[in-house]
Amino acid sequence: MDINFEYYKIFYFAAKYGNITKAAAALGSNQPNVTRIMKLLEAQLNCRLFVREARGISLTEEGELLYSHVEIAYRHLLNAQEELCRQDSRRCGTVEIGATDTALHLFLFHILQEFKREYPSIRIKIHNHSTPEIVRQLIGGKLDFAVITTPFEAPKNISCVRALDFQEILVGGSQYQNLSKTPLELKDVKKYPWVGLGRGSATYGFYKDFFIGHRIDLELDMEVETSDLMLPLIENNLGIGFLPEKLVLPLLEQKKLVQIPLNCEIPGRSIQIVSDKDRGKSLAADTFYKYVRTFCE
Protein backbone atom coordinates (compact mmCIF):
# COMPACT_ATOMS: atom_id res chain seq x y z
CA MET A 1 0.00 0.00 0.00
CA ASP A 2 1.61 3.24 -1.16
CA ILE A 3 0.42 6.00 1.20
CA ASN A 4 2.01 9.43 1.36
CA PHE A 5 3.82 9.71 4.72
CA GLU A 6 2.71 13.33 4.94
CA TYR A 7 -0.80 11.95 5.48
CA TYR A 8 0.36 10.22 8.66
CA LYS A 9 1.88 13.46 9.94
CA ILE A 10 -1.39 15.30 9.42
CA PHE A 11 -3.30 12.40 11.00
CA TYR A 12 -0.97 12.59 14.04
CA PHE A 13 -1.70 16.28 14.63
CA ALA A 14 -5.44 15.87 14.08
CA ALA A 15 -5.56 13.00 16.58
CA LYS A 16 -3.29 14.78 19.03
CA TYR A 17 -5.37 17.97 19.15
CA GLY A 18 -8.77 16.30 18.64
CA ASN A 19 -9.69 19.31 16.53
CA ILE A 20 -9.25 19.88 12.79
CA THR A 21 -8.89 23.66 13.14
CA LYS A 22 -6.17 23.42 15.80
CA ALA A 23 -4.35 20.74 13.83
CA ALA A 24 -4.40 22.92 10.72
CA ALA A 25 -2.98 25.87 12.69
CA ALA A 26 -0.16 23.71 14.12
CA LEU A 27 0.65 22.44 10.63
CA GLY A 28 0.51 25.86 9.02
CA SER A 29 -2.30 24.60 6.79
CA ASN A 30 -6.07 25.15 6.66
CA GLN A 31 -9.12 23.22 7.80
CA PRO A 32 -10.41 22.14 4.35
CA ASN A 33 -7.00 20.75 3.38
CA VAL A 34 -6.68 18.72 6.61
CA THR A 35 -10.21 17.39 6.24
CA ARG A 36 -9.55 16.42 2.61
CA ILE A 37 -6.36 14.52 3.46
CA MET A 38 -8.02 12.70 6.36
CA LYS A 39 -10.73 11.49 3.96
CA LEU A 40 -8.06 10.35 1.49
CA LEU A 41 -6.26 8.45 4.25
CA GLU A 42 -9.49 6.77 5.36
CA ALA A 43 -10.24 5.80 1.77
CA GLN A 44 -6.77 4.31 1.24
CA LEU A 45 -6.90 2.40 4.54
CA ASN A 46 -10.51 1.42 3.88
CA CYS A 47 -11.64 2.25 7.42
CA ARG A 48 -13.05 5.11 9.43
CA LEU A 49 -10.51 6.89 11.66
CA PHE A 50 -12.49 9.80 13.16
CA VAL A 51 -15.93 10.50 14.54
CA ARG A 52 -17.10 14.10 14.39
CA GLU A 53 -18.44 15.50 17.66
CA ALA A 54 -19.80 18.85 18.78
CA ARG A 55 -16.46 20.04 20.18
CA GLY A 56 -14.15 18.40 17.69
CA ILE A 57 -13.26 14.88 16.64
CA SER A 58 -12.51 11.60 18.42
CA LEU A 59 -10.75 8.48 17.25
CA THR A 60 -12.51 5.29 16.29
CA GLU A 61 -11.12 1.94 17.42
CA GLU A 62 -9.17 1.74 14.15
CA GLY A 63 -8.02 5.31 14.62
CA GLU A 64 -6.74 4.52 18.13
CA LEU A 65 -4.78 1.57 16.76
CA LEU A 66 -3.22 3.66 13.99
CA TYR A 67 -2.41 6.51 16.36
CA SER A 68 -0.59 4.19 18.79
CA HIS A 69 1.84 3.30 15.97
CA VAL A 70 2.06 6.72 14.33
CA GLU A 71 2.81 8.45 17.65
CA ILE A 72 5.78 6.13 18.31
CA ALA A 73 7.11 6.58 14.78
CA TYR A 74 6.72 10.35 14.93
CA ARG A 75 8.57 10.57 18.26
CA HIS A 76 11.38 8.40 16.89
CA LEU A 77 11.75 10.76 13.95
CA LEU A 78 11.81 13.81 16.22
CA ASN A 79 14.42 12.20 18.47
CA ALA A 80 16.57 11.33 15.46
CA GLN A 81 16.27 14.90 14.21
CA GLU A 82 17.30 16.31 17.61
CA GLU A 83 20.23 13.91 17.80
CA LEU A 84 21.45 14.95 14.38
CA CYS A 85 21.13 18.60 15.37
CA ARG A 86 23.11 17.96 18.54
CA GLN A 87 25.83 16.23 16.55
CA ASP A 88 25.97 19.18 14.19
CA SER A 89 26.17 21.58 17.15
CA ARG A 90 29.09 19.63 18.55
CA ARG A 91 30.95 20.14 15.31
CA CYS A 92 30.56 23.89 15.16
CA GLY A 93 30.51 26.85 17.50
CA THR A 94 33.10 28.73 19.54
CA VAL A 95 34.88 27.57 22.69
CA GLU A 96 36.65 30.05 24.98
CA ILE A 97 39.31 28.59 27.23
CA GLY A 98 42.02 29.95 29.51
CA ALA A 99 45.51 28.45 29.43
CA THR A 100 48.89 29.23 30.94
CA ASP A 101 52.07 29.02 28.85
CA THR A 102 53.21 25.89 30.64
CA ALA A 103 49.85 24.18 30.12
CA LEU A 104 49.94 25.05 26.44
CA HIS A 105 53.47 23.75 25.86
CA LEU A 106 53.36 20.63 28.01
CA PHE A 107 49.77 19.52 27.48
CA LEU A 108 47.47 21.43 25.17
CA PHE A 109 49.30 22.02 21.88
CA HIS A 110 49.26 18.43 20.62
CA ILE A 111 45.65 17.99 21.83
CA LEU A 112 44.59 21.08 19.88
CA GLN A 113 46.16 19.64 16.73
CA GLU A 114 44.29 16.36 17.10
CA PHE A 115 41.01 18.06 18.01
CA LYS A 116 41.07 20.48 15.08
CA ARG A 117 41.62 17.62 12.67
CA GLU A 118 38.48 15.93 13.98
CA TYR A 119 36.38 19.07 14.54
CA PRO A 120 37.64 21.65 12.02
CA SER A 121 34.50 23.83 12.29
CA ILE A 122 34.77 24.41 16.03
CA ARG A 123 36.52 27.71 16.73
CA ILE A 124 38.73 27.92 19.82
CA LYS A 125 39.64 31.20 21.48
CA ILE A 126 42.54 30.91 23.92
CA HIS A 127 42.99 33.45 26.71
CA ASN A 128 46.64 33.26 27.75
CA HIS A 129 47.10 34.74 31.23
CA SER A 130 48.55 33.90 34.61
CA THR A 131 46.82 31.21 36.66
CA PRO A 132 45.14 33.64 39.13
CA GLU A 133 43.80 35.81 36.30
CA ILE A 134 42.44 32.77 34.45
CA VAL A 135 40.68 31.56 37.61
CA ARG A 136 39.13 35.02 38.01
CA GLN A 137 37.88 34.97 34.42
CA LEU A 138 36.47 31.47 34.86
CA ILE A 139 34.59 32.46 38.02
CA GLY A 140 33.34 35.55 36.20
CA GLY A 141 31.80 33.39 33.47
CA LYS A 142 34.11 34.57 30.69
CA LEU A 143 35.57 31.11 29.98
CA ASP A 144 34.04 27.73 29.22
CA PHE A 145 36.86 26.01 31.09
CA ALA A 146 40.59 26.40 31.66
CA VAL A 147 43.85 24.46 31.73
CA ILE A 148 46.20 25.92 34.31
CA THR A 149 49.23 25.18 36.47
CA THR A 150 49.28 24.74 40.22
CA PRO A 151 49.25 26.22 42.77
CA PHE A 152 45.96 28.11 42.76
CA GLU A 153 43.00 28.80 45.00
CA ALA A 154 39.51 28.11 43.71
CA PRO A 155 36.05 28.20 45.31
CA LYS A 156 34.09 24.99 45.98
CA ASN A 157 32.03 25.30 42.81
CA ILE A 158 35.16 24.90 40.66
CA SER A 159 35.86 21.36 39.49
CA CYS A 160 39.55 20.41 39.20
CA VAL A 161 40.88 17.43 37.24
CA ARG A 162 44.60 16.63 37.28
CA ALA A 163 45.84 16.41 33.72
CA LEU A 164 49.62 16.10 34.00
CA ASP A 165 52.35 16.19 36.65
CA PHE A 166 55.62 17.91 35.80
CA GLN A 167 58.92 18.76 37.43
CA GLU A 168 60.87 21.99 37.13
CA ILE A 169 64.65 22.28 37.24
CA LEU A 170 67.05 25.16 37.69
CA VAL A 171 68.82 26.08 34.46
CA GLY A 172 71.22 28.69 33.14
CA GLY A 173 72.94 29.65 29.91
CA SER A 174 76.28 28.29 28.71
CA GLN A 175 78.18 30.80 30.88
CA TYR A 176 76.87 28.98 33.96
CA GLN A 177 78.54 25.72 32.93
CA ASN A 178 80.65 25.76 36.13
CA LEU A 179 77.47 25.47 38.23
CA SER A 180 76.46 22.20 36.54
CA LYS A 181 79.11 20.06 38.21
CA THR A 182 78.35 20.27 41.95
CA PRO A 183 74.95 20.62 43.66
CA LEU A 184 74.38 24.23 44.60
CA GLU A 185 73.33 25.22 48.11
CA LEU A 186 69.89 26.79 47.88
CA LYS A 187 71.04 29.89 49.77
CA ASP A 188 73.74 30.39 47.13
CA VAL A 189 71.11 30.97 44.44
CA LYS A 190 71.01 34.54 45.76
CA LYS A 191 74.51 35.07 44.36
CA TYR A 192 73.22 34.89 40.79
CA PRO A 193 70.61 36.91 38.91
CA TRP A 194 67.24 35.16 39.01
CA VAL A 195 64.86 35.31 36.03
CA GLY A 196 61.24 34.42 36.70
CA LEU A 197 57.54 35.09 36.22
CA GLY A 198 56.40 38.23 37.95
CA ARG A 199 54.19 38.98 40.92
CA GLY A 200 50.63 37.82 40.55
CA SER A 201 51.59 34.60 38.78
CA ALA A 202 51.22 31.15 40.35
CA THR A 203 54.88 30.43 39.63
CA TYR A 204 56.09 33.54 41.46
CA GLY A 205 54.02 32.64 44.52
CA PHE A 206 55.17 29.01 44.35
CA TYR A 207 58.89 29.86 44.44
CA LYS A 208 58.46 32.74 46.86
CA ASP A 209 56.88 30.31 49.34
CA PHE A 210 59.50 27.68 48.54
CA PHE A 211 62.40 30.00 49.37
CA ILE A 212 60.68 31.44 52.45
CA GLY A 213 60.17 27.85 53.63
CA HIS A 214 63.96 27.53 53.54
CA ARG A 215 64.36 30.91 55.27
CA ILE A 216 65.66 32.57 52.14
CA ASP A 217 64.38 35.92 50.90
CA LEU A 218 64.96 35.98 47.16
CA GLU A 219 63.73 38.65 44.77
CA LEU A 220 63.67 38.55 40.98
CA ASP A 221 66.42 40.36 39.12
CA MET A 222 64.52 40.10 35.85
CA GLU A 223 60.74 39.78 35.88
CA VAL A 224 58.74 38.62 32.84
CA GLU A 225 55.05 38.09 32.11
CA THR A 226 55.27 34.77 30.26
CA SER A 227 57.49 31.70 30.52
CA ASP A 228 58.11 32.00 26.77
CA LEU A 229 60.16 35.10 27.55
CA MET A 230 62.19 33.33 30.22
CA LEU A 231 63.84 30.89 27.81
CA PRO A 232 65.63 33.43 25.57
CA LEU A 233 66.70 35.52 28.58
CA ILE A 234 68.21 32.53 30.35
CA GLU A 235 69.69 31.18 27.12
CA ASN A 236 71.42 34.53 26.61
CA ASN A 237 73.02 34.32 30.07
CA LEU A 238 70.94 37.08 31.65
CA GLY A 239 70.24 34.95 34.71
CA ILE A 240 69.18 31.55 35.99
CA GLY A 241 65.64 30.30 36.53
CA PHE A 242 63.29 27.38 37.06
CA LEU A 243 61.62 25.88 33.98
CA PRO A 244 59.78 22.61 33.24
CA GLU A 245 62.31 19.82 32.64
CA LYS A 246 60.43 18.50 29.61
CA LEU A 247 60.36 21.95 28.04
CA VAL A 248 64.10 22.61 28.31
CA LEU A 249 65.34 19.08 27.53
CA PRO A 250 66.05 19.82 23.82
CA LEU A 251 68.09 22.91 24.76
CA LEU A 252 70.03 20.92 27.37
CA GLU A 253 70.87 18.31 24.74
CA GLN A 254 72.00 21.07 22.37
CA LYS A 255 74.12 22.51 25.22
CA LYS A 256 72.39 25.87 24.88
CA LEU A 257 71.34 25.52 28.49
CA VAL A 258 72.87 23.75 31.48
CA GLN A 259 71.09 22.19 34.43
CA ILE A 260 72.12 23.53 37.80
CA PRO A 261 71.68 20.80 40.42
CA LEU A 262 70.53 21.78 43.91
CA ASN A 263 71.15 20.14 47.25
CA CYS A 264 67.39 20.01 47.90
CA GLU A 265 64.36 18.72 46.04
CA ILE A 266 62.04 21.04 44.17
CA PRO A 267 58.35 20.17 44.83
CA GLY A 268 56.45 18.86 41.83
CA ARG A 269 53.66 20.76 40.14
CA SER A 270 50.71 19.78 37.99
CA ILE A 271 48.48 20.96 35.17
CA GLN A 272 44.78 20.96 36.03
CA ILE A 273 41.60 21.21 33.97
CA VAL A 274 39.18 23.48 35.81
CA SER A 275 35.54 24.29 35.14
CA ASP A 276 32.55 25.82 36.89
CA LYS A 277 30.28 23.03 38.18
CA ASP A 278 27.34 25.43 38.48
CA ARG A 279 27.41 26.63 34.89
CA GLY A 280 26.52 24.56 31.85
CA LYS A 281 28.62 24.41 28.70
CA SER A 282 27.61 24.75 25.08
CA LEU A 283 27.65 21.51 23.09
CA ALA A 284 30.86 22.61 21.36
CA ALA A 285 32.53 23.48 24.68
CA ASP A 286 31.37 20.24 26.27
CA THR A 287 32.73 18.28 23.30
CA PHE A 288 36.16 19.92 23.62
CA TYR A 289 36.17 19.61 27.42
CA LYS A 290 35.48 15.86 27.28
CA TYR A 291 38.04 15.47 24.50
CA VAL A 292 40.75 17.17 26.58
CA ARG A 293 39.93 15.02 29.60
CA THR A 294 40.64 11.84 27.64
CA PHE A 295 44.33 12.86 27.61
CA CYS A 296 44.62 13.11 31.39
CA GLU A 297 47.09 10.83 33.13
Side-chain angles (χ1 to χ4, degrees), residues 10-292:
I10 294 172
F11 165 78
Y12 169 78
F13 276 91
K16 178 182 177 182
Y17 287 104
N19 186 287
I20 296 294
T21 303
K22 290 181 180 179
L27 290 162
S29 183
N30 55 65
Q31 183 177 347
N33 188 53
V34 173
T35 300
R36 178 181 64 82
I37 289 175
M38 289 302 93
K39 287 181 178 179
L40 286 172
L41 182 60
E42 287 178 327
Q44 291 185 338
L45 292 173
N46 195 28
C47 65
R48 193 175 182 186
L49 300 173
F50 295 103
V51 176
R52 290 187 175 274
E53 297 177 341
R55 294 186 177 181
I57 55 175
S58 63
L59 291 169
T60 63
E61 187 176 340
E62 292 83 356
E64 292 280 2
L65 177 62
L66 180 63
Y67 182 74
S68 67
H69 291 285
V70 170
E71 182 186 28
I72 293 171
Y74 190 74
R75 290 191 179 279
H76 276 305
L77 289 171
L78 286 180
N79 289 339
Q81 179 178 297
E82 289 177 2
E83 188 173 338
L84 289 171
C85 287
R86 285 197 297 271
Q87 288 181 351
D88 184 62
S89 296
R90 288 189 185 100
R91 294 186 173 274
C92 62
T94 300
V95 183
E96 299 209 26
I97 67 169
T100 61
D101 286 336
T102 301
L104 282 168
H105 285 288
L106 296 185
F107 182 69
L108 263 184
F109 276 149
H110 75 282
I111 295 175
L112 286 165
Q113 291 174 345
E114 297 288 336
F115 184 79
K116 288 300 289 182
R117 273 197 288 267
E118 188 170 346
Y119 299 92
S121 296
I122 290 182
R123 297 180 296 276
I124 299 174
K125 186 173 181 180
I126 300 172
H127 299 262
N128 179 219
H129 300 292
S130 66
T131 291
E133 177 58 26
I134 290 172
V135 171
R136 281 193 290 271
Q137 291 193 4
L138 180 67
I139 294 171
K142 296 180 179 179
L143 304 173
D144 291 305
F145 67 94
V147 186
I148 56 179
T149 45
T150 57
F152 59 85
E153 294 182 4
K156 292 181 180 180
N157 63 305
I158 297 298
S159 167
C160 304
V161 178
R162 185 177 61 83
L164 176 73
D165 291 328
F166 67 96
Q167 190 70 41
E168 291 187 308
I169 59 174
L170 183 62
V171 294
S174 57
Q175 288 184 12
Y176 292 92
Q177 181 69 43
N178 62 309
L179 297 180
S180 67
K181 299 173 183 178
T182 306
L184 188 69
E185 294 284 335
L186 191 61
K187 61 182 177 60
D188 291 334
V189 173
K190 293 185 67 173
K191 297 178 182 179
Y192 307 97
W194 182 27
V195 179
L197 293 178
R199 293 169 177 80
S201 69
T203 299
Y204 178 87
F206 177 80
Y207 283 108
K208 187 71 174 176
D209 291 343
F210 173 69
F211 281 109
I212 289 175
H214 287 79
R215 299 179 180 180
I216 300 170
D217 185 20
L218 181 65
E219 289 297 334
L220 291 170
D221 294 279
M222 194 162 291
E223 188 174 312
V224 297
E225 289 188 359
T226 68
S227 58
D228 282 347
L229 292 174
M230 287 181 62
L231 267 175
L233 292 175
I234 294 174
E235 187 179 347
N236 283 280
N237 299 296
L238 291 169
I240 61 176
F242 293 94
L243 286 169
E245 184 176 13
K246 184 178 178 181
L247 190 63
V248 299
L249 189 58
L251 294 174
L252 291 173
E253 292 174 347
Q254 296 167 25
K255 301 189 183 304
K256 293 181 178 179
L257 292 178
V258 296
Q259 181 175 354
I260 303 170
L262 294 170
N263 67 342
C264 64
E265 186 177 350
I266 305 297
R269 302 176 68 185
S270 69
I271 294 169
Q272 305 259 340
I273 305 170
V274 295
S275 61
D276 189 338
K277 293 185 287 188
D278 296 337
R279 193 175 71 250
K281 301 179 183 66
S282 68
L283 288 172
D286 190 56
T287 299
F288 186 40
Y289 175 76
K290 290 177 179 176
Y291 190 90
V292 172

